[in-house]
Amino acid sequence: MGTDPPGPDPRPAGALHSQFASDPEMAEVVRLFVGDMPSKLAQLRSLWDRHDIDTLRRLSHQLKGAAAGFGYPSLSQAAGRLECELIALSEGSSPVCAQHLRGQFEELIRLCTAVAPS
Amino acid sequence: MAHDENKPLVLLIDDSVDVHRLLQARLRHEHISLVVAASGSEAVQALKSFRPATILLDLDMPEMDGFELLRVIKEDVSTNNIPVIVLSGLQGSEDKVAAFDLGATDYVTKPFDMAELRARLRAALRMHQLLRLLADRADVDGLTGLGNRAHFDKRLAETISETHRYQRPLALAMLDVDHFKRINDTFGHPAGDEVLQVLAGLLLRQSRQHDVCCRYGGEEFAMIMPGTGPADAVQVAERIRRAVAELAWSRHPETSITISVGIAGSDGHCGPMTATQWIEAADRSLYAAKHAGRDRVVAANLDRLVLGRAG
């Protein structure tokens, strides 16, 4: 998206733990959510590289809807911000700054990486 | 798709596996059986095989989105009374208005507040239960507790359709209290009502589990007997006729109550017949029973004519 050179690899800012880490009702599903994160990361990067705005928007939308439920509200918020930018881009409803969009994407990648198992 | 039949079924329609897992965990302690569909088309197939008590519906799905699926659900008479709670990350008021105008019962935005979602789900399940009670009441005759005329018409049409499709036996009995006007004129309408109530109770006790007993109107009752040919129907009707004749009416023990019964039956070879034709055939038999002296059973074998024994 845009013509900027590739940004630096996102460095994890420390592991991100679920707010429900000590909730026995949620232990198994949080584990599954975390376990799936490498796959989601790969998918996000692939969609970004292919400029597949619609599928990237859908994946962001899904993360926005689900992540807070698993105890990652910051991940939900970041996914929601990226979704909004992608909707604006696809609809042409307002000008989208390529650098800003990239920043939102990288923030989501950073948080997903922080969730992913090390 | 196995589920606990003692718990109301809730169908979750969402393309996100994460949402499936989240709600399966968070709704585990609710008194429900949660079934999931990952797409609109999968949900349409699922709704052909079971009726959930409530649907949780995501809007943003590929191919068939939630709006289109909601339209399908609400246009189908077999599903349009199911409460639908929309679960959506779409937060614009236009999306909410569109969903409610399409028939959604409630709208919960993602990410959910789980306590709120549970409360709204319980409210939707209560609404579904009330709607079912209302539908059941609409089908029940207030005096006797049997199915009413509307229920009879509906069940007869369903039974005829299935009988014709599989060429199964079927019998329809019309039962009429003899000299009912005399009972009302002599003893008053409350007494007449009591006779009808007692008769209804006897019909339920003497009929079989799959028979459908209804109050057809006034002093006339109807009994749909699926899987029953004319000979067996005569036996059932005779048993009922005898039980009525042997009834001791506590209010007026000097008065005997009798019924006449007209049956139309087939062993599955009568060919396609409408509900009206079935009723007219049973009514002709009933008229023959009245004309022959009442307190008797007359049956017409729609494959060939058969006369039953008199009382």
Side-chain angles (χ1 to χ4, degrees), chain B residues 178 183 244-245 247 249 252-258:
Chain B
D178 295 327
I183 293 172
V244 173
L247 266 178
W249 188 15
H252 297 283
E254 74 284 4
T255 303
S256 65
I257 309 294
T258 62

Side-chain angles (χ1 to χ4, degrees), chain A residues 25 36 40 57 62 64, chain B residues 15 18 21 26 29 60 89:
Chain A
E25 186 177 87
D36 283 348
K40 284 194 175 74
R57 183 209 63 78
Q62 288 182 349
K64 178 190 79 174
Chain B
D15 62 329
D18 289 329
R21 289 173 179 160
R26 286 304 200 186
H29 300 298
D60 193 354

Side-chain angles (χ1 to χ4, degrees), chain B residues 179-193:
Chain B
H179 303 299
F180 187 70
K181 188 174 182 311
R182 190 188 303 168
I183 293 172
N184 268 341
D185 291 345
T186 307
F187 303 116
H189 283 86
D193 285 350

Side-chain angles (χ1 to χ4, degrees), chain A residues 20 23 25-26 29 32-33 36 40 57-58 61-62 64-66 68-70 76, chain B residues 15-16 18-19 21-22 25-26 28-29 58 60-62 89-90 110-112 118:
Chain A
F20 306 127
D23 182 346
E25 186 177 87
M26 291 293 290
V29 291
L32 289 170
F33 181 77
D36 283 348
K40 284 194 175 74
R57 183 209 63 78
R58 182 177 301 284
H61 177 80
Q62 288 182 349
K64 178 190 79 174
F70 288 93
S76 266
Chain B
D15 62 329
S16 167
D18 289 329
V19 171
R21 289 173 179 160
L22 180 62
R26 286 304 200 186
R28 184 182 300 143
H29 300 298
D58 182 31
D60 193 354
M61 294 187 290
L90 301 176
K110 293 176 184 174
F112 325 114
R118 287 193 202 103

